[in-house]
Amino acid sequence: MKSELYSKYAEQYDAAIQDNIHNACLERPSLQALLDDLSGLDVVDLGCGTGIYAQYFIAQGVRSLTCVDVSESMVEIVRAKLGERVTAYVQDLSLGLPQQKSASADVIVCPLVLHYVEDLTVVFKEIHRVLKPAGYMVFSTHHPFADFECSQSGNYFERELVKQEWNTISKPVAVSFYRRSLTEISDAITSNGLVISQICEGKVLEKVKGISAITYQKLSNRPNFIFIKCHPSR
Ligand SMILES: C[S@@+](CC[C@H](N)C(=O)[O-])C[C@H]1O[C@@H](n2cnc3c(N)ncnc32)[C@H](O)[C@@H]1O
């Protein structure tokens, strides 16, 4: 799903998430904790955004890195930052990954993207196709329990399009995303040949206490994101 936050305001978004609480002190360290040694591996970053993860993967010594995003602005930023060290291109994940060869990726990551995709079936079918048999995928998305607070229907099991305004770039920008149950996420994974090996609910860094004690307490007491590691069934 296209959003102005990730197109018109892509540069501002990049600046905002370098050191903020939710991305830099909760999401990225929690997802990175699920990754094994990446050196010498072929990595695909789905919904790569401005390439903060890509910079991390290069620092980890990956063999190849492919960055994919639906936003041209995001892909341009990644190319400007990382040049020939990455292959970056525009692709809507909900239409699959036609440019990726089968059994070509050791690791696929997809941080904070899948809540923008209405039907997860195509995405996980493609992830299964693109992963090497011994490869794995790690993704993060909004925690279903946290998002249930935005439910209009009151039915946890019904997928809903949620429309909000976020102040990520210090001014309100309209954002829409899909709220869905943990069952729907799990079924999309397991019905497409993948097995879940680990689920985490994230851990906010201690240093957030010194930035905002209230936010630290909130993020320590309530789940915000969910992190799932899965691999092709053997
Ligand atoms: C919250 S940002 C996360 C960016 C990056 N993964 C990170 O964690 O820094 C969400 C990204 O997903 C991308 N995105 C949203 N829907 C998409 C889709 N259907 N296909 C590919 N990318 C998508 C957006 O353009 C945006 O760059």
Side-chain angles (χ1 to χ4, degrees):
M1 180 178 293
K2 291 190 178 177
S3 162
E4 283 197 336
L5 185 59
Y6 309 126
S7 50
K8 182 176 175 184
Y9 300 114
E11 296 279 359
Q12 291 96 317
Y13 178 77
D14 185 36
I17 65 164
Q18 294 293 328
D19 295 313
N20 68 348
I21 293 177
H22 283 79
N23 297 77
C25 302
L26 171 58
E27 196 279 332
R28 291 201 294 273
S30 301
L31 188 142
Q32 286 164 9
L34 294 181
L35 298 170
D36 305 321
D37 181 7
L38 295 172
S39 55
L41 299 184
D42 298 315
V43 175
V44 178
D45 182 355
L46 300 179
C48 58
T50 61
I52 296 189
Y53 269 98
Q55 289 171 310
Y56 173 79
F57 297 141
I58 288 170
Q60 298 298 305
V62 299
R63 180 168 68 177
S64 73
L65 178 58
T66 304
C67 292
V68 178
D69 202 287
V70 75
S71 160
E72 284 172 25
S73 311
M74 291 302 194
V75 169
E76 276 168 23
I77 290 173
V78 170
R79 285 186 184 139
K81 279 184 183 174
L82 296 166
E84 291 181 356
R85 286 175 289 174
V86 299
T87 301
Y89 65 88
V90 175
Q91 174 67 45
D92 181 345
L93 285 186
S94 63
L95 304 177
L97 294 167
Q99 296 191 47
Q100 294 305 119
K101 287 189 183 144
S102 299
S104 59
D106 293 298
V107 178
I108 297 179
V109 296
C110 189
L112 297 180
V113 182
L114 294 182
H115 40 270
Y116 300 116
V117 177
E118 182 170 11
D119 182 356
L120 298 182
T121 305
V122 172
V123 181
F124 282 107
K125 192 174 176 189
E126 281 290 85
I127 285 163
H128 178 259
R129 180 183 66 77
V130 171
L131 276 176
K132 295 180 187 177
Y136 66 92
M137 184 223 188
V138 175
F139 70 92
S140 63
T141 189
H142 291 180
H143 198 295
F145 303 163
D147 272 1
F148 187 45
E149 288 176 10
C150 323
S151 174
Q152 295 283 316
S153 71
N155 179 354
Y156 168 78
F157 293 101
E158 183 181 299
R159 185 194 313 149
E160 288 176 271
L161 182 64
V162 178
K163 297 183 180 185
Q164 294 183 335
E165 283 191 339
W166 290 356
N167 283 305
T168 315
I169 59 164
S170 303
K171 70 171 184 179
V173 178
V175 176
S176 303
F177 60 87
Y178 293 96
R179 181 200 73 70
R180 68 183 110 233
S181 67
L182 184 55
T183 301
E184 184 178 326
I185 296 172
S186 171
D187 285 352
I189 297 168
T190 57
S191 62
N192 285 291
L194 297 160
V195 171
I196 295 173
S197 54
Q198 206 170 347
I199 297 181
C200 299
E201 293 170 298
K203 187 159 170 39
V204 65
L205 299 184
E206 284 274 320
K207 73 173 187 181
V208 172
K209 257 186 213 169
I211 304 169
S212 167
I214 291 176
T215 308
Y216 178 80
Q217 193 186 18
K218 192 177 166 206
L219 294 176
S220 301
N221 293 351
R222 302 152 69 100
N224 204 265
F225 303 124
I226 192 163
F227 302 81
I228 298 183
K229 185 170 187 173
C230 47
H231 56 82
S233 53
R234 288 161 192 143

